Amino acid sequence: MIKKYSQLFSLIFLFVFSGFVMTASAIDLDEATRTVVTDGSGKTIVLTPEQVKRGKRLFNATCGACHVGGISKQNPNVGLDPEALSLAVPRRDNIAALVDFMKNPTTYDGLESIAETHPSISSADIYPRMRSITDEDLTAIAGHVLLQPKIITEKWGGGKIYKKKIQR
C-alpha cells in the first residue's frame, strides 16, 4: 500500500516539477539571440523559430553522431565553436561559409577535399542522409551551429578544453 502511494506521489511531484522547469525552445529565444552572421561581409539574419527547430532536428539527425555537443570526434581539438570556425581556412563562422563546407568539405587549412570521409552534398552517393538535404536545410543546420554558442556558451564545441576548465 505504501509502495503504491509513494509511486503515485513521485509521479505527481515529477509532473508538477516539470511544469516549472523548461528548456529553451525556439519560441523562447529572442531576436537578438536568433541573429546570426550570414556572410563574410558581416551581414546578419534573424532565424525564424521554425528554422531554429528544423536546424536542431537536422543537425542531430545528420551531424550529431560525429559532432555531438559541437565537438569533432575525428579531431577533438577542432570543434564547432566560434573561435575554431573563425580560424579555419576559409573562415567558417557564417551561414554561407558553413553551407559551402557542407556542400564541399575541406580540411581545416582548406587545402584538400574531405568529401569522401565527411558527409556532404557532393558525396551524397556515399552518405545517403545527405541526398534529401536542401539549401534551406543546410541554412537551418548552419544556423543551429552558429546559434548554440549563444545558448549553451562554452559547452558548445568545448571538448577537451571545456573539460579542463571544469577541473580547475
Side-chain angles (χ1 to χ4, degrees):
M1 180 101 159
I2 294 174
K3 188 175 182 180
K4 282 184 182 180
Y5 285 118
S6 66
Q7 288 175 344
L8 180 63
F9 177 74
S10 296
L11 285 173
I12 291 171
F13 178 77
L14 181 65
F15 178 74
V16 169
F17 185 71
S18 67
F20 293 109
V21 178
M22 298 192 186
T23 58
S25 68
I27 296 171
D28 296 336
L29 302 175
D30 61 5
E31 282 192 17
T33 304
R34 291 184 285 119
T35 301
V36 294
V37 179
T38 189
D39 60 27
S41 71
K43 182 179 162 190
T44 61
I45 60 167
V46 178
L47 299 170
T48 65
E50 292 77 24
Q51 285 175 307
V52 173
K53 285 189 268 186
R54 183 183 188 96
K56 179 178 181 176
R57 181 180 53 80
L58 290 168
F59 178 87
N60 289 335
T62 58
C63 313
C66 296
H67 295 290
V68 65
I71 62 158
S72 295
K73 285 187 179 179
Q74 305 85 338
N75 184 355
N77 294 318
V78 177
L80 299 177
D81 57 285
E83 182 181 9
L85 294 173
S86 70
L87 295 173
V89 177
R91 293 175 68 114
R92 301 291 185 188
D93 57 352
N94 61 70
I95 297 279
L98 284 170
V99 168
D100 178 61
F101 179 83
M102 289 183 276
K103 289 182 176 182
N104 300 297
T106 59
T107 54
Y108 194 68
D109 59 11
L111 298 177
E112 298 176 36
S113 172
I114 57 170
E116 289 186 15
T117 59
H118 190 283
S120 64
I121 299 301
S122 64
S123 62
D125 54 328
I126 302 171
Y127 301 101
R129 285 190 175 172
M130 298 303 286
R131 290 181 187 154
S132 61
I133 300 291
T134 65
D135 280 350
E136 286 180 12
D137 294 337
L138 293 175
T139 298
I141 293 169
H144 174 75
V145 170
L146 297 174
L147 191 63
Q148 289 310 294
K150 296 179 177 184
I151 298 171
I152 60 175
T153 61
E154 72 268 359
K155 292 178 186 177
W156 178 255
K160 291 179 181 178
I161 297 168
Y162 177 68
K163 290 175 187 171
K164 287 179 185 174
K165 286 180 183 176
I166 290 177
Q167 293 172 354
R168 289 183 190 169

